[in-house]
Amino acid sequence: MTAPQGAARGAFGSRIGFILAAAGSAIGLGNIWRFPYMAGENGGGAFVLVYLLCVLGLGVPVMLAEFAVGRRAQKNPIGAYAALAPGSPWPVVGGLGVLTGFSILAFYSVVAGWTLDYLWKSATGVFTAGLSAADSAAVFTGLIADPGRAIGLTLVFLLLTIIIVRKGISAGVERASKILMPLFFLLLVVLAVRSVTLPGAGRGIDFLFQADFSRVTPRVVMGALGQALFSLSLGMGAMLTYASYLPRDENLPVAAVSVAFFDTMVALVGGVVVFPALFAAGVDPAGGPGLVFVVLPTIFDQLPGGTLFAVAFYALLAVAALTSTISLLEVVVSYFVDQRGWSREKAVWVMGAACFALAVPSALSNGAVEGLTELVTFGGKARSFLDLQDLVFGNYSLSIGALLLCLFVGWKWGTRNALDELRSGGAHELPLAGLWVACVRVLCPVAVVLVLVSIVLGD
Ligand code: PHE
């Protein structure tokens, strides 16, 4: 493999390494925690259908655009816009991405901390005692309302992330996820089989796959659009940054389609695990961010070897979350290393600490501190500081970032340059290139603007 221009910045060690790292970034709590709760809150099947359309029509084109920009520029998001459009205001878009990555990391690591607690709980047998939905909800509430534990676990998770990102693009993590992620998927499939064979499970499948179009409101579309971007790690420059560590002989279209495919499979199978079990246990689908944490423990004790299963599941979920937090911190760190001349060591610790500071109010906002728990109302429900962070950065900021990236590639840097970059990894005969150009220049921007405007005007 030829060394990339920016070899001093580090580079991926192998061809498969990049796809694994990108898939590792994409697959995480977004699939297992966020997708089910968003689908549950937004009416199920109709949301899922719009989500799938967003993955195909917006996710894949935007991922290609991020890959092209990142690999051409070989820089962090801010540096990339500056390199491809010198002297223009476009780097501000990269700056929005870095800020968004930082803010997502701050609430994501709180939820990731919960998975560590659940790992501990399953190892100590808490989930094998015939847990009812009410018991399970009480266990969850007990955890999230405990300030010491919520903050401590967030800190542990951030430290794990820092230790890995500190070493640079990490071969060890790539290699480990080659085995761990297929194993995670296998476990999910087993759980899905158990879930669909529970009494009353059929209603969950209906909920997930029967689309009731009367429920498609601008808010549902906005949720699905944001979820597609969040789940694929798009709209803030994570994929852009990963592609910046690539040599020119990587086939970008193959990578984009594979990552989108695997990510979507994990989300759908995750949905098939959660919803049948949810209906079987009589939990409310619109239960919000605690959904999977309440539902999943109710099925482990209905499996032979439940403890082992639960331990393996939460361990792998934590690893999946870790490969995502690594990509979030990497974006922030690459900016301070490339643009500000900081050492990687300084960047990981300073930014990691700053992120922890922002994570504390999220960690405290689920029952520990009342003022943070019911901070705002949207969608007819009181929401916490964590929910608000998730909405603002996980939905809106990513959507605006993706919109601006499309405009940049479509109209400023140019789709001709981008196509040249996309073709230069063996994809000479790029099928649907014309359609991609239409998406990036017109269809995606118009779609995002329409959804944003209809949200502003109210639904
Ligand atoms: N895609 C990750 C997940 O689904 C989260 C993420 C979002 C990571 C944005 C990087 C950038 O868990």
Side-chain angles (χ1 to χ4, degrees):
M1 175 175 273
T2 47
Q5 300 146 23
R9 302 169 65 237
F12 283 104
S14 65
R15 173 159 302 196
I16 189 75
F18 170 67
I19 295 195
L20 285 172
S25 169
I27 298 168
L29 297 171
N31 308 60
I32 305 295
W33 161 71
R34 202 175 189 274
F35 174 74
Y37 105 68
M38 291 294 285
E41 264 190 358
N42 289 296
F47 173 89
V48 174
L49 194 73
V50 180
Y51 169 76
L52 292 176
L53 287 176
C54 288
V55 168
L56 272 183
L58 180 76
V60 174
V62 169
M63 194 179 298
L64 284 169
E66 279 204 25
F67 280 174
V69 168
R71 186 173 61 181
R72 173 62 65 88
Q74 303 269 318
K75 291 237 161 51
N76 67 88
I78 297 179
Y81 281 102
L84 301 184
S88 74
W90 282 98
V92 173
V93 180
L96 175 72
V98 173
L99 178 73
T100 304
F102 178 83
S103 310
I104 290 179
L105 180 59
F107 74 80
Y108 197 96
S109 50
V110 175
V111 182
W114 300 345
T115 66
L116 293 180
D117 186 84
Y118 269 54
L119 174 58
W120 173 251
K121 283 197 168 71
S122 34
T124 51
V126 175
F127 298 146
T128 46
L131 213 62
S132 71
D135 297 338
S136 181
V139 168
F140 181 64
T141 315
L143 158 66
I144 61 175
D146 178 342
R149 240 187 322 168
I151 292 178
L153 291 165
T154 305
L155 182 62
V156 171
F157 209 90
L158 275 173
L159 281 174
L160 288 172
T161 309
I162 289 171
I163 289 167
I164 294 168
V165 174
R166 199 178 144 249
K167 293 202 223 120
I169 284 301
S170 161
V173 176
E174 275 171 35
R175 234 176 292 131
S177 50
K178 199 177 335 191
I179 303 159
L180 295 178
M181 286 307 105
L183 198 62
F184 181 57
F185 190 70
L186 209 71
L187 254 176
L188 270 182
V189 171
V190 175
L191 286 178
V193 170
R194 172 67 274 201
S195 188
V196 295
T197 51
L198 289 169
R203 285 174 55 212
I205 296 294
D206 291 350
F207 179 81
L208 196 59
F209 294 116
Q210 278 184 7
D212 168 6
F213 289 101
S214 66
R215 303 197 62 167
V216 181
T217 60
R219 198 177 295 282
V220 169
V221 179
M222 182 68 219
L225 194 147
Q227 176 58 25
L229 295 172
F230 187 94
S231 191
L232 295 170
S233 303
L234 295 173
M236 48 138 296
M239 290 301 181
L240 185 159
T241 305
Y242 271 13
S244 78
Y245 297 112
L246 276 182
R248 293 201 88 197
D249 59 358
E250 176 79 36
N251 188 323
L252 296 177
V254 167
V257 172
S258 327
V259 171
F261 177 76
F262 290 131
D263 186 73
T264 306
M265 288 305 289
V266 173
L268 290 178
V269 177
V272 174
V273 175
V274 171
F275 286 100
L278 176 144
F279 279 94
V283 175
D284 174 17
L291 198 64
V292 288
F293 286 93
V294 173
V295 172
L296 287 181
T298 65
I299 52 175
F300 289 123
D301 70 324
Q302 313 206 26
L303 274 167
T307 301
L308 197 67
F309 246 99
V311 170
F313 177 79
Y314 287 110
L316 291 169
L317 183 59
V319 172
L322 189 61
T323 52
S324 300
T325 53
I326 290 169
S327 71
L328 288 162
L329 186 59
E330 179 61 35
V331 170
V332 181
V333 165
S334 71
Y335 162 69
F336 283 94
V337 171
D338 288 354
Q339 305 298 117
R340 296 291 179 103
W342 288 19
S343 68
R344 187 165 263 278
E345 183 78 24
K346 176 178 169 191
V348 288
W349 289 109
V350 173
M351 286 300 119
C355 199
F356 176 62
L358 181 61
V360 168
S362 277
L364 293 177
S365 74
N366 311 288
V369 174
E370 215 169 301
L372 293 169
T373 305
E374 304 204 333
L375 197 62
V376 286
T377 306
F378 54 85
K381 263 195 217 155
R383 309 286 175 148
S384 69
F385 185 80
L386 190 156
D387 300 340
L388 183 65
Q389 290 268 95
D390 187 6
L391 181 77
V392 171
F393 295 103
N395 257 18
Y396 288 99
S397 200
L398 293 182
S399 307
I400 291 168
L403 164 67
L404 294 172
L405 174 87
C406 285
L407 294 178
F408 176 76
V409 170
W411 302 98
K412 174 72 185 170
W413 183 44
T415 45
R416 189 173 303 199
N417 282 328
L419 280 175
D420 174 50
E421 191 59 44
L422 291 176
R423 286 202 173 98
S424 72
H428 307 295
E429 300 284 330
L430 205 55
L432 307 178
L435 184 60
W436 178 77
V437 170
C439 280
V440 170
R441 299 189 82 166
V442 184
L443 298 176
C444 295
V446 167
V448 177
V449 168
L450 276 181
V451 177
L452 286 174
V453 166
S454 60
I455 285 285
V456 172
L457 295 181
D459 48 331

